Amino acid sequence: DQQVKQNSPSLSVQEGRISILNCDYTNSMFDYFLWYKKYPAEGPTFLISISSIKDKNEDGRFTVFLNKSAKHLSLHIVPSQPGDSAVYFCAASGTDSSYKLIFGSGTRLLVRP
Amino acid sequence: DAGVIQSPRHEVTEMGQEVTLRCKPISGHNSLFWYRQTMMRGLELLIYFNNNVPIDDSGMPEDRFSAKMPNASFSTLKIQPSEPRDSAVYFCASSTSLATYEQYFGPGTRLTVT
């Protein structure tokens, strides 16, 4: 049973436009959420996170939104750049899951020049 | 500051052989995690350590898999004997503590078992 789902395997956007990546979760006990970016032949790189006590966290071009009632989070990248082309994973955790990170299946983002 | 270091980066071996993957976490990090990534199952946690002690190995697929952390700067994941279905990318990650959710990943070891 997938506790963290990324239903869009891929996304293509034009350079300069907004990229929106979505993630849904089923475990209401999750209280911390993270986004990772992964380039080919490299390990995932931590991008941004959000605690369940917040509904928004911003870091430069990256903003994560959390909707606890819908069990949904999203990552907004504005403006998108070709270097943002990568696979993006959302992950969730909490004391209930013993601090383990549960990863989604990833969304491949392509930013077209 | 060096990140998580994994070796080898690529490993090709024959079925039945023993495979040992190595990881050096970031200095000062007290928690270490081993993951496996496959097309079918995605990124899954195999085992994690805190202060060199294994905390949860429920993700280890079979008894053929074992992991050790003899000191704060070194961990191994061993597969014996290896099987073709073990072919995957194995990642090691570390964090300052379990309560610090942000984990930092190494570059991975691509294992191919023929």
Side-chain angles (χ1 to χ4, degrees):
Chain A
D1 180 31
Q2 275 190 299
Q3 297 188 67
V4 179
K5 299 179 183 180
Q6 294 177 258
N7 292 317
S8 297
S10 63
L11 174 67
S12 179
V13 300
Q14 193 73 38
E15 179 179 5
R17 306 295 290 269
I18 185 172
S19 295
I20 300 177
L21 298 101
N22 294 304
C23 179
D24 298 294
Y25 61 95
T26 58
N27 189 342
S28 58
M29 298 301 291
F30 287 149
D31 57 15
Y32 204 83
F33 305 88
L34 307 91
W35 284 94
Y36 281 80
K37 178 171 69 175
K38 186 182 180 306
Y39 293 119
E42 295 184 12
T45 301
F46 169 69
L47 194 56
I48 192 170
S49 61
I50 187 167
S51 165
S52 61
I53 62 173
K54 295 184 174 182
D55 54 19
K56 176 182 174 182
N57 188 27
E58 193 171 353
D59 183 1
R61 297 185 297 113
F62 302 90
T63 303
V64 56
F65 295 91
L66 176 62
N67 182 333
K68 291 185 288 294
S69 61
K71 296 191 181 67
H72 177 84
L73 65 156
S74 60
L75 175 68
H76 292 210
I77 307 174
V78 182
S80 301
Q81 300 173 354
D84 297 329
S85 298
V87 177
Y88 289 78
F89 293 94
C90 69
S93 189
T95 55
D96 180 57
S97 58
S98 301
Y99 305 104
K100 297 179 190 179
L101 291 186
I102 310 299
F103 283 86
S105 54
T107 296
R108 183 177 302 276
L109 173 66
L110 174 64
V111 181
R112 307 185 308 274
Chain B
D1 186 23
V4 175
I5 299 172
Q6 291 188 247
S7 64
R9 291 295 310 275
H10 302 273
E11 177 80 36
V12 180
T13 190
E14 292 184 347
M15 181 175 63
Q17 295 298 306
E18 175 182 306
V19 175
T20 299
L21 311 181
R22 297 172 176 80
C23 175
K24 176 178 169 56
I26 294 172
S27 177
H29 282 196
N30 296 320
S31 301
L32 183 140
F33 306 80
W34 281 101
Y35 289 87
R36 177 172 69 174
Q37 185 182 31
T38 61
M39 288 294 292
M40 291 296 294
R41 300 177 66 88
L43 197 59
E44 54 180 341
L45 178 65
L46 300 177
I47 184 171
Y48 66 98
F49 297 81
N50 193 49
N51 294 322
N52 311 338
V53 176
I55 302 300
D56 187 332
D57 65 355
S58 60
M60 297 285 259
E62 300 172 34
D63 291 345
R64 299 183 295 107
F65 287 69
S66 63
K68 294 182 180 179
M69 192 165 186
N71 57 63
S73 59
F74 184 65
S75 177
T76 60
L77 177 68
K78 184 179 292 187
I79 308 173
Q80 180 185 21
S82 58
E83 297 183 3
R85 58 191 167 131
D86 301 330
S87 297
V89 181
Y90 291 80
F91 291 103
C92 175
S94 68
S95 66
T96 54
S97 71
L98 285 183
T100 306
Y101 293 104
E102 290 83 359
Q103 297 176 15
Y104 295 86
F105 283 75
T109 295
R110 179 173 293 278
L111 173 65
T112 302
V113 183
T114 60

